[in-house]
């Protein structure tokens, strides 16, 4: 049987995934097994682990093999655990704490995992960073659930929401992914008015604006906007893969690239500095005050019901 | 009057999913429809997502008369000032979002 062997000699993160996505998809198409050899890699990010695990799931669901080879010492022990191989003698290298990749198949599991990540964050970050990052995980994971196990469109099949978190030296790293319809396709289908006159390659950037990434009946489209504000204020960065595009967002600037082959679903990888000055209340309040103003312009505000 | 007690912290300190918000709203709806009063206790809760808030508070505010909700559904906020303040803002945002949406839908129907 044919095997595609990929030897990773340096590191495996989002950039390397971007490089190999075509080969992975072609192997899938031609029913070729894949072996990714990480024995010589000196660094594999949590994003790289999640993306490789995704392909492992996809290959296995089609009766194919997607093998990941790891060293049995050093960094590999940490990776083994992230890859779910349950090394007993795992030591937390570099004082790292982590939530190994969780696959949530329903709302209850998503809620539980979000609470686990919150606990990791609380142990390692300031209250403000912990609260802000917990909030954005809730937003992104809930939305991923709509596309993953929720099957937004009739063409989708129930698939998990993947969540992982890592306390990595000065940063917190989070990865959230679903195998659903994708941001670009969702905007094309449900947000035509919002993307009128905008090039398709700019859809991911547009999705970071308030009220764009939502759905007409059930979502106000605040999650990606709020996330981008937290990234901006938290001196962090964000990578998104969705459908045919990938986007890197840092310092308020987004750069988008066309992928060599389609990514089925949405992957979001975030990195935020643990000592950032973040104020979630201010971010949400700023948006709410705008709404209050708009509302007052139209009619008198009724006394708030519960606040 | 016998009040029904719902402790949201039973579902976690962070309330994430829209489905969970819907589940709790349906319980509240059942009580409201039978004329019962409810205490919704947020003590211990630190955070909820906008989807959760919309599904629970936004949709209740769009479905029922404000006076009825004020009379029948008592919300108890956490003692922590920080959590209480954040949750109030999230609820206010959800209610405003839903009202705005409802208004747009009504405008659409009228035209």
């Amino acid at each position: 049987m044919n095997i595609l062997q990929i030897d990773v000699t340096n590191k495996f993160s989002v950039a390397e995934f971007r490089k190999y996505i075509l080969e992975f998809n072609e192997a899938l198409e031609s029913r070729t097994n894949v072996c990714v050899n990480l024995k010589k890699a000196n660094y594999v990010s949590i994003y790289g682990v999640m993306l490789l695990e995704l392909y492992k799931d996809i290959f296995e669901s089609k009766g194919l093999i997607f093998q990941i080879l790891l060293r049995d010492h050093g960094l590999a022990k940490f990776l083994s655990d992230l890859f779910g191989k349950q090394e007993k003698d795992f030591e937390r290298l570099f004082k790292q704490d982590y939530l190994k990749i969780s696959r949530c198949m329903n709302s209850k599991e998503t809620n539980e995992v979000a609470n686990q990540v919150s606990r990791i964050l609380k142990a390692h970050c300031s209250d403000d960073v912990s609260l802000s990052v917990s909030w954005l995980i809730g937003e992104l994971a809930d939305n991923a659930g709509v596309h993953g196990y929720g099957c937004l469109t009739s063409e989708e099949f129930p698939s998990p929401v993947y969540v992982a978190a890592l306390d990595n030296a000065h940063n917190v790293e989070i990865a959230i992914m679903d195998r659903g319809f994708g941001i670009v396709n969702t905007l094309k289908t449900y947000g035509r008015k919002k993307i009128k006159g905008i090039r398709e390659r700019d859809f991911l950037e547009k999705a970071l604006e308030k009220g764009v990434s939502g759905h007409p009946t059930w979502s106000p489209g605040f999650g990606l906007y709020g996330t981008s504000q937290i990234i901006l204020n938290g001196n962090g960065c964000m990578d998104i893969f969705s459908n045919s595009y990938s986007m890197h967002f840092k310092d308020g600037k987004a750069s988008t690239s066309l992928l060599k082959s389609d990514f089925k679903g949405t992957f979001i990888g975030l990195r935020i500095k643990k000592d950032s000055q973040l104020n979630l209340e201010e971010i949400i309040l700023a948006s709410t005050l705008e709404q209050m103003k708009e509302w007052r312009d139209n009619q008198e505000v009724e006394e708030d019901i519960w606040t | 009057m016998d009040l029904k007690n719902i402790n949201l912290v039973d579902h976690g300190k962070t309330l994430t999913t829209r489905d969970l918000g819907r589940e709790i709203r349906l319980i509240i709806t059942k009580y409201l429809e039978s004329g019962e009063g409810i205490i919704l206790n947020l003590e211990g809760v630190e955070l909820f997502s906008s989807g959760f808030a919309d599904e629970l508070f936004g949709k209740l505010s769009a479905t029922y008369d404000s006076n009825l909700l004020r009379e029948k559904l008592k919300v108890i906020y956490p003692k922590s000032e920080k959590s209480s303040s954040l949750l109030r803002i999230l609820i206010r945002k959800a209610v405003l979002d839903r009202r705005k949406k409802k208004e747009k839908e009504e405008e659409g129907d009228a035209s």
Side-chain angles (χ1 to χ4, degrees), chain A residues 44-239:
Chain A
V44 182
S45 72
I46 195 169
Y47 317 122
V49 174
M50 182 178 276
L51 291 161
L52 288 173
E53 284 285 286
L54 164 72
Y55 270 84
K56 194 165 171 256
D57 286 356
I58 296 174
F59 271 65
E60 282 175 2
S61 72
K62 303 210 180 283
L64 295 166
I65 297 167
F66 191 92
Q67 195 180 17
I68 301 162
L69 297 180
L70 299 172
R71 284 199 302 261
D72 56 0
H73 57 89
L75 181 67
K77 284 182 181 164
F78 166 67
L79 288 176
S80 293
D81 210 74
L82 271 179
F83 277 115
K85 297 191 193 308
Q86 309 284 353
E87 286 280 318
K88 282 180 188 159
D89 56 350
F90 166 69
E91 287 175 22
R92 286 174 186 174
L93 300 175
F94 318 118
K95 294 183 182 169
Q96 286 160 324
D97 201 354
Y98 68 100
L99 171 83
K100 78 174 182 190
I101 294 171
S102 299
R103 291 165 172 80
C104 311
M105 277 311 293
N106 55 50
S107 151
K108 195 166 181 270
E109 287 174 10
T110 303
N111 204 54
E112 278 168 13
V113 166
N115 276 280
Q116 277 179 46
V117 181
S118 285
R119 285 195 287 275
I120 292 176
L121 293 169
K122 260 189 210 165
H124 297 278
C125 309
S126 68
D127 282 357
D128 288 337
V129 171
S130 153
L131 202 62
S132 301
V133 179
S134 296
W135 178 81
L136 71 82
I137 290 167
E139 295 292 319
L140 298 178
D142 185 32
N143 194 46
V146 171
H147 292 268
Y149 46 76
C151 302
L152 176 69
T153 71
S154 56
E155 298 97 65
E156 290 178 58
F157 57 93
S159 57
V161 168
Y162 299 71
V163 183
L166 177 70
D167 163 48
N168 193 355
H170 302 296
N171 299 305
V172 174
E173 295 174 353
I174 310 284
I176 294 171
M177 181 173 69
D178 68 73
R179 290 158 60 182
F181 200 41
I183 296 172
V184 174
N185 286 342
T186 304
L187 279 175
K188 277 188 202 167
T189 309
Y190 301 107
R192 265 168 278 176
K193 276 184 193 166
K194 297 167 192 169
I195 53 168
K196 205 175 170 188
I198 295 172
R199 291 183 308 169
E200 188 180 280
R201 69 174 290 131
D202 296 329
F203 285 4
L204 289 182
E205 187 176 351
K206 182 74 182 167
L208 301 183
E209 289 176 20
K210 191 164 53 182
V212 173
S213 64
H215 182 276
T217 52
W218 49 259
S219 170
F222 192 70
L224 269 178
Y225 164 75
T227 300
S228 69
Q229 295 302 299
I230 290 169
I231 296 287
L232 192 60
N233 295 329
N235 299 315
C237 63
M238 166 163 66
D239 283 285

Side-chain angles (χ1 to χ4, degrees), chain A residues 229-290:
Chain A
Q229 295 302 299
I230 290 169
I231 296 287
L232 192 60
N233 295 329
N235 299 315
C237 63
M238 166 163 66
D239 283 285
I240 301 181
F241 289 108
S242 202
N243 306 122
S244 311
Y245 298 94
S246 71
M247 185 185 74
H248 182 69
F249 179 76
K250 196 178 180 203
D251 298 330
K253 286 178 193 148
S255 55
T256 307
S257 316
L258 184 66
L259 289 169
K260 288 180 189 168
S261 182
D262 268 16
F263 182 81
K264 178 92 178 73
T266 300
F267 163 86
I268 301 181
L270 311 159
R271 182 176 298 127
I272 291 171
K273 287 209 179 302
K274 283 196 277 186
D275 59 0
S276 319
Q277 300 294 311
L278 284 174
N279 191 329
L280 178 62
E281 199 171 310
E282 260 177 26
I283 291 169
I284 296 170
L285 189 60
S287 164
T288 312
L289 287 175
E290 272 174 44

